[in-house]
């Protein structure tokens, strides 16, 4: 296995912190902290082995919490990874020995039933996964790939990430594993998943050590134009952040623990040399690996790192030589992770872990008997013979302020809260990768806050250098809705246009909303607009034409009336009751002008007035004509009878008119009182329009009202039809017969035409029928008489009439 320079720096940081605490007078002034280091070799088996050796004192077969030197064991700092910490904690937890992790983030470590003594100075994966999803939502990504290391950190990290993604209605395009032991098949499967997927953003849950072989594969297959979402395990790792990898991993964005400066650490790291302690095998191994040489008279073997690369051949990352180290090698000439103190993040967690333990021991040592936390008796624990569970009490309740002013405390699950820095990989002027802070994510047990710095410029590894667009299907525009694709994630969908009368106003709506009854969808189906209100208006061509015809008809009737008034003493006007003729003319004016009530926007009053006025107008007209036809009918009977018959008196004709009109008035009054017509919004005929029309109310009343008119017209027709055979001088019978025929033809043809039309044309048909029948009666009854009066005055004599 390769020598881990980063882990070596972590170890040296712990030693530096312990020495610093031992030199302080305010923390554990009468006690000295020591340490014993075990190498887990980044494997679970070695982690368990180290925990057992830690407990048994290496050569003894029962736990007595003493190390190999006989010093009292207080706690364990570490291990470096989640899997290693879990493996050790299952053993240490049996004896309630405290364990403080600095890089173990797995959420399961928060379970105090399984890991009662495991605490940590780094947030759990749940907090990181929540932060990742919030960042993904911030940038509008919905289609994300996931790559995980083949260990607890990777697998369970991705599992938590998937759960958070699902809760946010986002989708994981693929999820693949990076093998810990190189497998060409598994590695190619992970690489091909990225190449073949439409996801432009990939989340990588792995440590830098596990990620290194995958990085080589990505470089070999030349996979660019992807944005990597980094976990805190590798976002600031110098092992991955190399300039030659920037074309493939540049623009990576992820979360890291806050950066800190540790006074004196840089000098302490440089103060290392194998000659200072010939038995320090780790320092010798470090020196040999860093300078590619062999330390004289050392039993430490070569640190040869063999790794199978993407071609399937062994690739020696550090070509070792047989030259001996001189001891004159300069650490200042090295460029590796060990000496890089510019990004002290996990390293700062180690400092906090050591100080956390020291503060707890300090608090325990200052306990006063009788005021202690243990019952019964409020007793205290004493160094060095306290039990591990007694120290755990102080660790769980401890709060202190770190050197950089941050408040440090552990919750009931052994987790810390605080914030992450949001880091973006960019290239600086020297051609090196810079970890640029572009925001931060603050969180507690009850709230969170994601802040992207306004003046921060994020570098995106895309062809356009713009924010990547990572979706399975583009967001459905307004006017459409999502249609789920069978067997595919919810982020993959088709955009289906909304149905008529339904709209979607926001992009990406699952369902279209139905418009209110007075509204309809526009052409784009993006908003509801007021329906067009349709009625026969005065200002449109059809309405204006009908108004002209109505006024013209009324003026013609008025002209006839004037003629009748001027020639009222002539025989033709006086014949067959001139008063009835004047009443007929008045009724024709009423019927003609009643058509004006049908034009324009309907109101309740106009709906009531139009039908009633029309019915009364025709009733007056037809009853007057009936009075005339009765006179004609009796005249015909007289001409045919051999006996003497008396003609009807004019008074009786007027009584017939009065009775007919009174009956009509009575029916109309009942109609208006009981079930009157009113305005009705007809929305069934046309979806896109509201047709304003009059609802007739009671059809039975309406039929009864006009049944009187039909009955009167039928009587008029029958009597004049019989009287049509009077001598030629009595031509009025023929005129009325033709007038009634025309009346019936118009209204019989009106019914099918009226029923087959809709909207304003339906009203227009009714007005045409009113005008046609009125013009017909006017022409048939009065036109011949006016012709004689005005153009043939010689025929307007008593003898001829």
């Amino acid at each position: 296995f390769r020598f881990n320079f980063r882990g070596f720096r972590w170890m040296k940081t712990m030693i530096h912190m312990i020495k610093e605490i031992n030199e302080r007078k305010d923390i554990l002034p009468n006690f000295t902290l020591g340490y014993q280091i075990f190498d887990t070799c980044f494997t679970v088996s070695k982690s368990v082995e180290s925990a057992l050796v830690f407990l048994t004192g290496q050569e003894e077969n029962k736990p007595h919490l003493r190390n190999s030197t006989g010093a009292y064991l207080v706690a364990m700092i570490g291990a470096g990874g989640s899997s290693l910490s879990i493996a050790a904690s299952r053993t240490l937890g049996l004896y309630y020995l405290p364990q403080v992790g600095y890089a173990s983030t797995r959420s399961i470590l928060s379970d105090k039933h399984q890991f009662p003594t495991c605490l940590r100075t780094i947030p759990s994966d749940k907090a990181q996964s929540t932060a990742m999803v919030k960042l993904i939502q911030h940038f509008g990504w919905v289609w994300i790939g996931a790559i995980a290391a083949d260990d607890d950190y990777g697998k369970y990290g991705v599992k938590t990430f998937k759960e958070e993604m699902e809760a946010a209605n986002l989708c994981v395009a693929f999820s693949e594993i990076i093998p810990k032991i190189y497998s060409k098949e598994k590695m190619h499967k992970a690489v091909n998943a990225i190449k073949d997927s439409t996801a432009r953003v990939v989340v990588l849950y792995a440590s830098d050590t596990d990620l290194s072989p995958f990085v080589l594969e990505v470089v070999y297959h030349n996979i660019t134009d992807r944005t990597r979402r980094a976990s805190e395990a590798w976002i600031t790792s110098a092992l991955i952040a190399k300039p030659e990898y920037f074309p493939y991993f540049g623009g990576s964005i992820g979360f890291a623990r806050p950066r800190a400066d540790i006074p004196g650490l840089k000098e302490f790291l440089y103060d290392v040399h194998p000659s200072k302690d010939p038995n320090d095998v780790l320092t010798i191994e470090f020196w040999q690996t860093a300078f590619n040489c062999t330390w004289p008279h050392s039993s430490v073997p070569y640190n040869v790192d063999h790794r199978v690369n993407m071609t399937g051949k062994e690739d020696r990352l550090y070509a070792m030589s047989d030259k001996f180290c001189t001891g004159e090698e300069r650490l200042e000439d090295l460029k590796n992770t060990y000496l890089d103190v510019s990004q002290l993040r996990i390293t700062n967690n180690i400092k906090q872990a050591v100080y956390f333990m020291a503060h707890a021991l300090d608090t325990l040592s200052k306990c006063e008997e009788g005021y202690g936390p243990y019952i019964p008796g409020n007793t205290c624990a004493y160094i060095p013979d306290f039990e591990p569970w007694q120290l755990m009490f102080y660790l769980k309740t401890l709060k202190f302020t770190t050197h950089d002013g941050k408040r440090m405390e552990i919750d009931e699950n052994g987790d810390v809260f605080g914030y992450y820095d949001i880091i973006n990989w960019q290239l600086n002027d020297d051609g090196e990768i810079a970890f640029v802070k572009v925001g931060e994510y603050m969180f507690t047990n009850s709230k969170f806050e994601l802040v992207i710095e306004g003046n921060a410029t994020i570098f995106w590894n895309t062809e356009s250098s713009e924010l990547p667009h990572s979706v399975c299907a583009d967001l459905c525009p307004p006017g459409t809705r999502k249609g789920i694709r069978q067997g595919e994630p919810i982020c993959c969908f088709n955009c289906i246009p909304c149905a008529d009368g339904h709209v979607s106003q926001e992009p990406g709506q699952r369902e279209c909303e139905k418009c209110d009854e007075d509204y309809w969808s526009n052409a784009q189906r993006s908003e509801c607009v007021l329906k067009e209100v349709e009625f026969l208006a005065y200002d449109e061509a059809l309405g204006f034409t009908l108004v002209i015809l109505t006024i013209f008809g009324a003026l013609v009737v008025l002209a006839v009336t004037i003629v009748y008034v001027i020639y009222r003493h002539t025989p033709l006007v006086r014949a067959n009751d001139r008063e009835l003729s004047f009443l007929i003319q008045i009724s024709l004016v009423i019927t003609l002008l009643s058509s004006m009530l049908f034009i324009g926007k309907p109101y309740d009053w106009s709906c009531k007035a139009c039908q009633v006025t029309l019915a009364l107008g025709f009733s007056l007209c037809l009853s007057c004509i009936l009075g005339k036809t009765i006179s004609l009918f009796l005249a015909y009977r007289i001409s045919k009878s051999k006996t003497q018959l008396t003609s009807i008196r004019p008074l009786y004709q007027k009584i017939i008119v009065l009775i007919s009109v009174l009956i009509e008035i009575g029916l109309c009054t009942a109609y208006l009182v009981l079930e009157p017509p009113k305005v009705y919004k007809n929305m069934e005929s046309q979806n896109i329009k509201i047709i304003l029309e009059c609802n007739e109310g009671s059809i039975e009343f309406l039929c009864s009202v006009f049944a009187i008119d039909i009955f009167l017209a039928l009587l008029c027709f029958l009597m004049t039809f019989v009287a049509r055979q009077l001598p030629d001088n009595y031509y009025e019978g023929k005129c009325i017969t033709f007038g009634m025929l025309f009346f019936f033809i118009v209204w019989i043809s009106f019914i099918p035409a009226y029923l087959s039309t809709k909207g304003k044309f339906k009203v227009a048909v009714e007005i045409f029928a009113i005008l046609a029948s009125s013009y017909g009666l006017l022409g048939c009854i009065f036109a011949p008489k006016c012709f004689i009066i005005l153009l043939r005055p010689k025929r307007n004599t008593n003898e001829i009439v």
Side-chain angles (χ1 to χ4, degrees), residues 229-478:
R229 277 288 293 102
S231 66
E232 46 77 30
W234 67 270
I235 185 63
T236 57
S237 171
L239 180 64
I240 308 298
K242 297 179 179 179
E244 58 266 30
Y245 298 155
F246 190 78
Y248 313 95
F249 283 79
S252 293
I253 189 167
F255 295 97
R257 291 290 288 157
R259 177 184 171 279
D261 292 320
I262 301 179
L265 178 62
K266 183 176 181 179
E267 293 76 12
F268 182 79
L269 294 177
Y270 274 92
D271 186 22
V272 59
H273 199 280
S275 61
K276 293 185 176 182
D277 186 359
N279 297 321
D280 187 352
V281 294
L282 287 177
T283 301
I284 295 174
E285 186 176 356
F286 161 74
W287 200 271
Q288 291 184 157
T289 306
F291 295 106
N292 193 19
C293 61
T294 304
W295 189 258
H297 311 295
S298 171
S299 60
V300 178
Y302 288 138
N303 179 35
V304 181
D305 182 15
H306 292 281
R307 184 183 303 158
V308 181
N309 66 11
M310 71 292 299
T311 62
K313 299 178 181 179
E314 281 195 351
D315 184 25
R316 181 173 294 183
L317 297 183
Y318 297 92
M320 303 296 294
S321 67
D322 293 332
K323 72 174 183 178
F324 287 98
C325 303
T326 64
E328 301 296 326
E329 293 84 3
R330 288 168 48 86
L331 290 174
E332 290 81 359
D333 297 334
L334 292 177
K335 287 186 178 181
N336 60 27
T337 312
Y338 171 71
L339 298 173
D340 183 9
V341 294
S342 63
Q343 298 290 329
L344 300 181
R345 300 177 187 273
I346 300 297
T347 304
N348 189 49
N349 288 348
I350 296 172
K351 175 179 180 178
Q352 291 178 349
V354 174
Y355 264 91
F356 199 74
M357 193 65 64
H359 277 289
L361 286 168
D362 184 59
T363 306
L364 182 147
S365 67
K366 294 177 180 178
C367 178
E368 297 182 13
E369 192 65 33
Y371 297 94
Y374 313 116
I375 53 177
N378 292 336
T379 58
C380 294
Y382 300 98
I383 297 177
D385 58 349
F386 61 87
E387 295 294 328
W389 65 266
Q390 293 175 314
L391 178 61
M392 276 299 300
F393 173 84
Y394 288 98
L395 286 170
K396 285 183 176 182
T397 58
L398 181 66
K399 299 178 182 179
F400 70 95
T401 302
T402 63
H403 72 284
D404 53 357
K406 299 292 189 298
R407 189 67 177 164
M408 187 72 183
E409 62 180 286
I410 301 286
D411 68 4
E412 66 274 9
N413 296 320
D415 295 328
V416 294
F417 298 104
Y419 64 93
Y420 285 115
D421 285 344
I422 302 175
I423 302 298
N424 180 230
W425 280 18
Q426 300 183 18
L427 212 58
N428 60 21
D429 296 335
D430 299 329
E432 300 291 332
I433 292 180
F435 306 125
V436 180
K437 179 181 175 181
V438 295
E440 61 185 22
Y441 177 83
M442 293 164 281
F443 58 96
T444 65
N445 58 350
S446 60
K447 64 179 181 178
F448 65 87
E449 184 179 6
L450 178 69
V451 178
I452 300 295
E453 295 179 359
N455 57 354
T457 301
I458 301 177
F459 173 78
W460 300 110
N461 191 24
T462 58
E463 292 181 2
S464 61
S465 296
E466 305 219 347
L467 177 70
H469 187 59
S470 188
V471 296
C472 180
D474 287 324
L475 200 64
C476 290

Side-chain angles (χ1 to χ4, degrees), residues 450-729:
L450 178 69
V451 178
I452 300 295
E453 295 179 359
N455 57 354
T457 301
I458 301 177
F459 173 78
W460 300 110
N461 191 24
T462 58
E463 292 181 2
S464 61
S465 296
E466 305 219 347
L467 177 70
H469 187 59
S470 188
V471 296
C472 180
D474 287 324
L475 200 64
C476 290
T480 62
R481 65 176 178 85
K482 289 182 180 179
I484 297 174
R485 297 178 188 171
Q486 284 291 9
E488 296 189 37
I490 60 172
C491 299
C492 302
F493 47 81
N494 297 318
C495 294
I496 303 172
C498 293
D500 290 340
H502 294 71
V503 298
S504 61
Q505 297 180 323
E506 300 295 331
Q509 284 191 208
R510 292 293 303 271
E511 299 293 338
C512 298
E513 300 170 358
K514 187 176 181 180
C515 295
D516 293 338
E517 62 176 14
D518 289 349
Y519 291 81
W520 194 250
S521 54
N522 60 359
Q524 294 77 28
R525 309 287 196 275
S526 59
E527 61 177 327
C528 293
V529 295
L530 276 171
K531 289 181 179 179
E532 179 186 348
V533 179
E534 182 181 279
F535 55 87
L536 187 59
Y538 288 102
D539 55 358
E540 59 180 298
L542 182 58
F544 183 72
T545 302
L546 293 175
V547 170
I548 295 299
L549 291 175
T550 299
I551 294 174
F552 177 75
L555 291 176
V556 171
V557 176
L558 183 60
V560 172
T561 304
I562 292 171
V563 171
Y564 264 60
V565 171
I566 295 173
Y567 296 96
R568 63 186 178 278
H569 300 297
T570 61
L572 192 59
V573 175
R574 287 188 290 108
N576 204 4
D577 203 318
R578 62 186 173 189
E579 287 80 7
L580 290 181
S581 297
F582 283 120
L583 286 175
I584 293 172
Q585 292 162 16
I586 293 171
S587 65
L588 287 175
V589 171
I590 293 172
T591 55
L592 285 166
L593 294 179
S594 69
S595 62
M596 299 277 284
L597 297 172
F598 289 87
I599 304 173
K601 186 177 181 180
Y603 296 96
D604 286 341
W605 67 266
S606 62
C607 288
K608 296 174 183 177
C610 62
Q611 297 292 357
V612 172
T613 304
L614 178 63
L616 290 174
F618 274 128
S619 176
L620 178 59
C621 178
L622 293 173
S623 60
C624 292
I625 295 174
L626 179 61
K628 284 177 172 288
T629 56
I630 290 176
S631 297
L632 293 174
F633 178 74
L634 291 177
Y636 171 75
R637 292 291 303 273
I638 291 169
S639 67
K640 295 294 184 180
S641 176
K642 296 180 181 179
T643 61
Q644 184 69 29
L645 294 174
T646 304
S647 176
I648 187 171
R649 291 183 181 182
L651 178 61
Y652 295 156
Q653 292 176 316
K654 296 176 178 60
I655 291 174
I656 292 173
V657 172
L658 181 61
I659 292 172
S660 301
V661 172
L662 286 176
I663 293 172
E664 189 71 70
I665 290 173
L667 286 172
C668 288
T669 302
Y671 180 29
L672 294 177
V673 171
L674 298 177
E675 292 189 63
K678 56 186 176 181
V679 177
Y680 167 64
K681 291 182 179 180
N682 185 350
M683 300 180 186
E684 291 80 21
S685 299
Q686 296 187 49
N687 289 328
I688 62 174
K689 293 181 180 179
I690 298 175
I691 300 175
L692 279 182
E693 57 187 19
C694 292
N695 184 357
E696 289 80 4
S698 173
I699 299 297
E700 293 80 5
F701 268 118
L702 185 66
C703 292
S704 301
V705 166
F706 284 101
I708 300 296
D709 296 335
I710 295 170
F711 178 70
L712 293 173
L714 190 58
L715 286 179
C716 292
F717 175 73
L718 292 176
M719 290 186 179
T720 53
F721 181 77
V722 173
R724 76 189 186 285
Q725 297 178 359
L726 283 169
D728 290 344
N729 295 8

